[in-house]
Amino acid sequence: MARTAFPDDLLLIQVRVIQTYAALARPHGRHTTDLRHQLISDLRDLYAHAYWTQPGHSYADLVELRRTARARAWVEAA
C-alpha cells in the first residue's frame, strides 16, 4: 500500500482524538464532560476536513491516517 501524505492539521486532529480517547479511558478521570465535548468537536473537524472532499480517498486512507497519528502520538508521549 502506498503511503499517503496527510495535511499537518488533519494529522494533528487525529492525534488529539487518540489522546482524548486515552484520557477518557483512564480510571477516575476528571473533566470527562470537557473531554467528551473536545472529542465531539475534534471528530467533527476530522470528518469534515477538506482533505476528504478530494476525489480518490477511501476508508483505507482513514486507516492509514489513524496508523500514522498513532505512531506520532507514541513518539510525542515518549
Side-chain angles (χ1 to χ4, degrees):
M1 175 188 275
R3 287 203 148 312
T4 305
F6 297 105
D8 286 337
D9 60 333
L10 181 62
L11 191 56
L12 289 174
I13 294 169
Q14 182 63 54
V15 168
R16 279 198 318 260
V17 166
I18 292 167
Q19 291 170 340
T20 304
Y21 272 126
L24 283 167
R26 288 187 195 109
H28 306 293
R30 297 177 188 245
H31 309 292
T32 57
T33 302
D34 294 336
L35 288 171
R36 288 179 184 154
H37 285 290
Q38 182 64 42
L39 181 63
I40 291 168
S41 176
D42 286 342
L43 287 171
R44 182 189 60 232
D45 293 345
L46 179 73
Y47 292 114
H49 195 278
Y51 177 82
W52 304 116
T53 62
Q54 299 170 4
H57 292 295
S58 67
Y59 183 74
D61 291 331
L62 182 58
V63 171
E64 186 61 30
L65 173 66
R66 288 178 182 154
R67 286 181 185 152
T68 303
R70 205 172 298 121
R72 185 171 177 169
W74 282 108
V75 168
E76 289 176 2

